[in-house]
Amino acid sequence: MRPNKRDELVRKALQVFYRDGFHATGMDKLVVETGVSKTSMYKHFRSKEDLILAALQLRDESFRKWFLCRVEELADTPADQLIASFDVLGEWFQEDSFRGCMFIKAGAEYQEQDHPIHVHAATYKKLMLEFLTDLARKAGARDPKALGCQLLLLQEGAIVTAVLVKNCDPAKDAKTAARVLLENALG
Amino acid sequence: MRPNKRDELVRKALQVFYRDGFHATGMDKLVVETGVSKTSMYKHFRSKEDLILAALQLRDESFRKWFLCRVEELADTPADQLIASFDVLGEWFQEDSFRGCMFIKAGAEYQEQDHPIHVHAATYKKLMLEFLTDLARKAGARDPKALGCQLLLLQEGAIVTAVLVKNCDPAKDAKTAARVLLENALG
DNA sequence: GATAAAGTTTACCGATCTGTACATGTTGAG
DNA sequence: CTCAACATGTACAGATCGGTAAACTTTATC
């Protein structure tokens, strides 16, 4: 049984794109870093951008799965889970490989709103918003949509800040703010 | 008196980089878009990255100047100015040319923390944090640093969300949240 | 061993990349 | 008009870009 070359390619390409950027990573570099031949790449994917989309898809699934599972491990109630999501963010920020949000990067490098890569990044953010809004509803917020949006803003802000601002603890700051907003939304 | 070619180059290059990205924009394209010859470009700047840095510097100065002035025009007291800063964000988001934060893009495309471009992006965010923290202090917040950080998170989150999430009003959501956080910080 | 599927190697394509060199043209002050 | 400063135009360099083609090798199943 031969190892799945396509999956290996996507997995490794994801790492390279995440570390070095999309436009800044050429196909020849991917050959070297993934150990997969260029011919095989074009056998599995029609173009570089299709490969990027597959990498984003993998990132989407694996990261969200990890995130949601981790939130559920840390807290039982919807309200506690909303707060715990910021602890999970903090865990992520502490990882050596942390380089910010791959979907923010995708949206930044592919800015045309109808570009498939941009669309994929937007879809991912929409799913995170829905997750937060759903938890906010379950937690009994008077306006779950508003609270969900506000918590998303904190999360996105924390991610950007974790990349760019030194000597600060954005996950912790965001968690503190989230507590205040949650209390306000439930009270 | 000859128009300042260097300034014109930087101004136009800034627009192109903002619209199309840094790595995705080549020097030949800049020649076409700016009307400045490649020779002149290399006369004024040693490299493409030096030109990018100059563009970031221009963006830094012009945007912050506009932002701060606009905040002061909209409100008189520090507390009101903190809230008004979200209205100013909203104005920015409504501009046709809005494409998100150029410094987030710079940090995304140049991820090495010691890279001059990344450093410049980080410096910009630090200045915005100081601005908010200063206003928070003047507004009488018990912990101006914490409030400044929280409001920065909301602003950064609003910018990212304005780019990637449809059918939402991130500036308004952020403003609502900022009100709650400010009240909590002053009360 | 035979064989099909999968994958690699090598070379190539036209285009573009960042940056350099040199000849030529333009501008504005004196 | 002269002339220095500034800018343009053109061609080039070596490298890389995304992608293609053909020959060859490897793998796994029968």
Side-chain angles (χ1 to χ4, degrees), chain B residues 103-124:
Chain B
F103 299 95
I104 292 176
K105 294 174 195 303
E109 287 200 40
Y110 295 88
Q111 299 196 126
E112 298 299 325
Q113 296 214 353
D114 58 354
H115 192 289
I117 291 174
H118 190 98
V119 170
H120 198 126
T123 301
Y124 172 86

Side-chain angles (χ1 to χ4, degrees), chain A residues 18-19 99 105 111 113 122 149-150 153-154 156-158 160-161 163-164 166 173-174 176-177 180-181 184, chain B residues 18-19 99 105 111 113 118 122 149-150 153-154 156-158 160-161 163-164 166 173-174 176-177 180-181 184:
Chain A
Y18 184 54
R19 192 189 68 214
R99 288 284 193 286
K105 293 172 195 305
Q111 299 196 126
Q113 296 214 354
C149 286
Q150 290 169 10
L153 297 183
L154 287 176
E156 298 306 313
V160 168
T161 308
V163 172
L164 290 176
K166 297 191 178 173
D173 292 327
T176 303
V180 176
L181 295 177
N184 179 274
Chain B
Y18 184 53
R19 192 190 67 214
R99 287 285 192 287
K105 294 174 195 303
Q111 299 196 126
Q113 296 214 353
H118 190 98
C149 286
Q150 290 168 8
L153 297 182
L154 287 178
E156 298 306 312
V160 169
T161 308
V163 172
L164 291 175
K166 299 197 174 164
D173 292 327
T176 302
V180 175
L181 295 178
N184 179 274

Side-chain angles (χ1 to χ4, degrees), chain A residues 21-90:
Chain A
F22 300 105
H23 283 102
T25 300
M27 300 304 278
D28 286 339
K29 181 175 174 181
L30 282 177
V31 169
V32 173
E33 297 264 356
T34 64
V36 178
S37 72
K38 208 189 300 191
T39 312
S40 281
M41 286 186 195
Y42 283 100
K43 177 80 180 289
H44 292 291
F45 298 98
R46 237 180 0 181
S47 64
K48 179 183 174 182
E49 290 186 359
D50 278 1
L51 173 57
I52 290 172
L53 279 169
L56 288 177
Q57 183 70 24
L58 175 61
R59 177 69 179 174
D60 180 345
E61 288 162 3
S62 58
F63 185 81
R64 266 194 309 119
K65 180 176 174 182
W66 171 76
F67 191 86
L68 301 199
C69 286
R70 195 78 193 98
V71 166
E72 289 179 3
E73 283 167 6
L74 288 184
D76 296 320
T77 68
D80 286 345
Q81 284 177 354
L82 283 173
I83 301 300
S85 70
F86 293 94
D87 292 320
V88 179
L89 273 193

Side-chain angles (χ1 to χ4, degrees), chain A residues 133-154:
Chain A
T133 302
D134 192 44
L135 276 189
R137 179 173 297 111
K138 287 174 181 168
R142 286 192 306 269
D143 188 347
K145 190 163 185 292
L147 180 61
C149 286
Q150 290 169 10
L151 297 182
L152 181 70
L153 297 183
L154 287 176

Side-chain angles (χ1 to χ4, degrees), chain A residues 11 69 85-86 94 97-98 109 112 131 135 137 139 185:
Chain A
R11 184 170 48 80
C69 286
S85 70
F86 293 94
Q94 296 305 312
S97 63
F98 176 71
E109 288 201 41
E112 298 299 325
F131 165 69
L135 276 189
R137 179 173 297 111

Side-chain angles (χ1 to χ4, degrees), chain B residues 45-108:
Chain B
F45 298 97
R46 237 180 0 179
S47 64
K48 177 182 173 182
E49 291 186 357
D50 280 0
L51 173 57
I52 291 174
L53 280 169
L56 289 178
Q57 182 72 23
L58 175 61
R59 177 67 180 178
D60 180 344
E61 288 162 3
S62 59
F63 186 80
R64 266 194 308 117
K65 179 175 175 180
W66 169 76
F67 191 86
L68 301 200
C69 287
R70 196 75 196 99
V71 166
E72 289 180 2
E73 283 165 5
L74 288 183
D76 297 319
T77 67
D80 285 346
Q81 284 177 355
L82 282 173
I83 301 301
S85 71
F86 293 93
D87 291 320
V88 179
L89 273 193
E91 283 178 27
W92 179 35
F93 298 164
Q94 295 305 312
E95 288 177 17
D96 280 346
S97 62
F98 176 71
R99 287 285 192 287
C101 171
M102 193 152 178
F103 299 95
I104 292 176
K105 294 174 195 303

